[in-house]
Amino acid sequence: MARSDRELILVAGGAGFIGSHLVARLLDEGNEVICLDNLQTARPSNLKLLEGRPGFTFVEADIVLPLPEAVTAQAERITRIYNLACAASPPQYQVDPEHTMLTNVVGTNHLLRLAERAGARFLLTSTSEVYGDPEVHPQVEGYRGWVSCTGPRACYDEGKRAAEALTFDYARMKRAEVRVARIFNTYGPQMHPDDGRVVSNLICQALSGRDITIYGDGSQTRSFCYVSDMVDALMRLMEWETDGLEPVNLGNPNELTVGELAEQVVAMTGSRNRLVYRPLPQDDPRRRRPDIGRAQAELGWRPTVGLAEGLAKTCAWFTEELQAERLPAQAA
């Protein structure tokens, strides 16, 4: 694949949390980037951080529908396609489960067809949710998962599994050069405060004086990766020279309980809010920790931002965001 000095890269879901960080990094490195997003779950402020930057183009569109001419007309120039287009937290993807499933299957197919036409390398951001509520710990790429195909999370879990199958089929048929990332919990600035993810929930509740909600007894575990580490991993994976038939876990293997995470957030914010325990949602995984041996061996990657540093940066960002939201209200 011939590469120009200044590539044109398509990032579907580029106005979202991870997507907006990825777009900014690609622009920093001198690439031209088309950000394709339907703005269903993206924060408008994420887009404002990118608008006006040299080489940046925004196209508002839904990948469930045929791709717009603003994208397809430039197919011969596109060398890389990142697919991050899908709501990623349970409250968001369960609002419209049909659209979630179609985004993962029909939308991925539209982007794969574009990759085939353009001769572009394609990267699918899949998820640790393909492992479901795992019986193998930590989770390795060869583990086939313990997923409910009929539960309320199935639209996302099974949607991503189908997207992986479709992506690997394109590779097997030599129709596209592909990469697949299985992303574990990621956090950092530019998260949506109401997306329902545990880090944003705990920080926003702690900073706003609301009760701090813990689902279940807090003993379920997660492994949290700071967003800059995740972006670095995705870019390394895209440039990995491989046959493209192996998914790669991307995440931080530092495992802790949700209760321990809440303790760290409370200590960091100085919160005295009440802890409130709610029932654990259906099919919520009990343990989650990536085995990143493949990423270390093949990509030369491992996370470098520790949880304390990452949480401090995230808390500082949310503090500024909440203060900015209060000022207009006070002025009114």
Side-chain angles (χ1 to χ4, degrees):
M1 182 183 298
R3 298 185 60 189
S4 63
D5 291 335
R6 188 176 174 88
E7 294 193 32
L8 178 60
I9 300 173
L10 175 67
V11 180
F17 164 46
I18 298 177
S20 59
H21 283 274
L22 174 62
V23 170
R25 174 78 177 274
L26 292 169
L27 291 170
D28 288 343
E29 297 199 351
N31 301 292
E32 293 182 53
V33 179
I34 299 174
C35 170
L36 178 67
D37 205 299
N38 66 359
L39 301 181
Q40 181 183 42
T41 59
R43 301 180 75 248
S45 58
N46 290 353
L47 195 57
K48 290 178 181 178
L49 293 172
L50 300 168
E51 289 175 337
R53 291 196 57 176
F56 176 76
T57 301
F58 174 66
V59 177
E60 184 174 354
D62 193 324
I63 63 169
V64 169
L65 304 174
L67 298 178
E69 186 177 357
V71 172
T72 59
Q74 301 191 70
E76 75 255 5
R77 293 191 56 227
I78 297 173
T79 61
R80 300 287 188 269
I81 298 173
Y82 289 87
N83 181 13
L84 290 85
C86 187
S89 67
Q92 290 179 336
Y93 64 64
Q94 290 173 8
V95 167
D96 190 345
E98 178 188 12
H99 186 268
T100 298
M101 179 64 76
L102 292 177
T103 298
N104 283 316
V105 180
V106 176
T108 295
N109 191 52
H110 283 153
L111 293 173
L112 280 165
R113 285 179 178 270
L114 178 65
E116 179 182 23
R117 173 182 167 185
R121 186 175 290 179
F122 175 86
L123 187 151
L124 171 70
T125 54
S126 185
T127 173
S128 60
E129 295 293 336
V130 300
Y131 300 121
D133 188 4
E135 296 178 306
V136 171
H137 191 80
Q139 291 78 61
V140 295
E141 289 90 347
Y143 174 53
R144 297 185 179 182
W146 184 255
V147 178
S148 167
C149 62
T150 58
R153 302 168 74 104
C155 59
Y156 185 71
D157 301 2
E158 295 289 7
K160 287 292 189 180
R161 285 160 71 99
E164 284 196 20
L166 188 60
T167 299
F168 288 129
D169 280 337
Y170 265 75
R172 275 186 284 267
M173 294 185 290
K174 308 299 183 184
R175 295 178 62 182
E177 191 180 352
V178 309
R179 309 287 184 268
V180 173
R182 289 179 176 167
I183 294 179
F184 284 68
N185 296 67
T186 308
Y187 72 102
Q190 295 167 221
M191 297 181 78
H192 199 295
D194 298 320
D195 69 1
R197 301 184 214 206
V198 62
V199 172
S200 53
N201 275 359
L202 293 174
I203 292 176
C204 289
Q205 289 170 349
L207 292 174
S208 63
R210 291 176 287 162
D211 290 343
I212 296 175
T213 305
I214 296 178
Y215 293 94
D217 61 5
S219 64
Q220 66 273 28
T221 70
R222 296 293 184 269
S223 302
F224 299 97
C225 185
Y226 191 68
V227 65
S228 62
D229 282 330
M230 183 57 63
V231 167
D232 180 50
L234 291 172
M235 293 176 66
R236 288 176 184 238
L237 178 58
M238 178 63 93
E239 303 310 320
W240 180 33
E241 297 303 329
T242 178
D243 60 10
L245 292 175
E246 294 180 331
V248 179
N249 286 340
L250 299 180
N252 192 319
N254 180 29
E255 180 185 10
L256 74 163
T257 69
V258 170
E260 289 169 339
L261 175 67
E263 290 175 3
Q264 291 199 35
V265 170
V266 167
M268 193 165 288
T269 59
S271 172
R272 296 184 179 180
N273 303 357
R274 184 178 59 149
L275 295 180
V276 176
Y277 292 84
R278 303 289 187 216
L280 196 66
Q282 183 178 339
D283 298 328
D284 196 68
R286 293 161 296 173
R287 300 191 72 183
R288 186 62 59 75
R289 176 189 172 193
D291 182 308
I292 61 168
R294 181 174 291 170
Q296 288 179 275
E298 302 294 342
L299 309 181
W301 175 86
R302 67 172 295 111
T304 60
V305 180
L307 184 64
E309 178 186 355
L311 281 180
K313 291 179 178 180
T314 308
C315 286
W317 182 82
F318 270 117
T319 298
E320 291 182 3
E321 287 292 297
L322 292 173
Q323 288 175 347
E325 289 177 5
R326 292 190 191 107
L327 288 175
Q330 291 171 355

